[in-house]
Amino acid sequence: MLSSSSIPLRDLRKLAWNGIPPPHRPIIWKILLGYLPSTASRHKATLARRRREYKSAIKQHYDIPDDTRTNSEQETLRQVLVDVPRTMPEVPLFHNDRVRRCLSRLLYIWAMRHPASSYVQGINDLATPLIAVFLSGYFGGKDCLDGEVMGDVTDAMLEEVEADTYWCVCVFPFSNVYICDSTFCKKHEKRLLFFE
């Protein structure tokens, strides 16, 4: 089905309901979340455009001097930087400094671009399964939670994972008005990681 020129979403949803084989999770999640179009020929251009847009957002919101941030922006950044080290403490992948930097950036940028809700605890729990699954896509669907793959992860790979995760968090239906409490996310994050 993934090799079709146009992927029938209704059929894909039905097939995905009972679980998605690990090598196919990254692409299927991106399609089902609406980040990628169902027309396969548009995937490459869509990814390139969205990843460029995300790089621009980093320059606009994150890679700026702290003295140019408002008090509110500084407080949001402080809260993100406090929460990221507490994110999935039992999972070695999320102890990695490079992964933590990516998570910090995408959460802060999300907050800046969603001022109605800004950053609240628990949004990090939405991003973690996406990071793990999208990273696994570079390793044939291999479980990356033990963090051992990080020695083989290039900066370019991690930049793509970060951008794709950011955009997928943005398309969650409850992203604009955050209603998913952390308890719900914690309870369901293992299911999300493995889409079983």
Side-chain angles (χ1 to χ4, degrees):
M1 177 181 293
L2 290 176
S3 59
S4 311
S5 61
S6 183
I7 300 163
L9 289 177
R10 176 177 279 156
D11 294 343
L12 184 60
R13 282 187 195 103
K14 284 180 186 177
L15 287 172
W17 185 253
N18 291 318
I20 302 170
H24 302 294
R25 283 185 196 139
I27 188 77
I28 291 174
W29 281 22
K30 290 171 188 173
I31 293 167
L32 291 177
L33 285 169
Y35 173 53
L36 285 179
S38 60
T39 306
S41 63
R42 293 178 40 214
H43 288 183
K44 188 175 179 178
T46 299
L47 287 171
R49 179 177 49 82
R50 299 297 267 198
R51 289 168 177 169
R52 275 193 317 272
E53 289 172 4
Y54 181 72
K55 278 187 179 182
S56 293
I58 291 173
K59 289 177 186 170
Q60 179 184 1
H61 296 291
Y62 198 83
D63 289 344
I64 60 172
D66 282 334
D67 63 358
T68 63
R69 298 182 206 279
T70 66
N71 287 341
S72 174
E73 291 168 344
Q74 288 178 15
E75 178 56 27
T76 299
L77 181 58
R78 187 198 67 74
Q79 186 60 53
V80 166
L81 294 174
V82 166
D83 282 350
V84 165
R86 298 187 292 198
T87 300
M88 293 189 76
E90 72 284 0
V91 178
L93 176 64
F94 296 101
H95 296 187
N96 182 279
D97 288 337
R98 292 169 63 208
V99 172
R100 285 182 173 177
R101 276 192 299 277
C102 289
L103 187 57
S104 297
R105 265 192 308 266
L106 77 89
L107 292 173
Y108 180 75
I109 292 167
W110 187 92
M112 294 301 97
R113 292 183 141 198
H114 297 84
S117 55
S118 191
Y119 177 75
V120 292
Q121 248 181 335
I123 296 176
N124 53 338
D125 295 322
L126 298 175
T128 53
L130 297 168
I131 290 171
V133 167
F134 296 162
L135 189 58
S136 78
Y138 293 94
F139 301 96
K142 177 185 175 189
D143 181 347
C144 298
L145 295 177
D146 63 11
E148 291 179 12
V149 300
M150 289 309 296
D152 297 322
V153 175
T154 66
D155 289 342
M157 288 174 176
L158 208 50
E159 287 171 9
E160 291 175 356
V161 167
E162 180 181 344
D164 295 348
T165 300
Y166 169 80
W167 289 113
C168 286
V169 168
C170 286
V171 299
F172 273 110
F174 40 86
S175 288
N176 287 330
V177 180
Y178 190 74
I179 60 171
C180 177
D181 72 17
S182 188
T183 307
F184 173 86
C185 292
K186 289 267 188 229
K187 181 178 176 184
H188 296 285
E189 67 192 355
K190 283 290 186 199
R191 181 164 164 73
L192 282 170
L193 276 172
F194 301 106
F195 216 84
E196 298 172 335

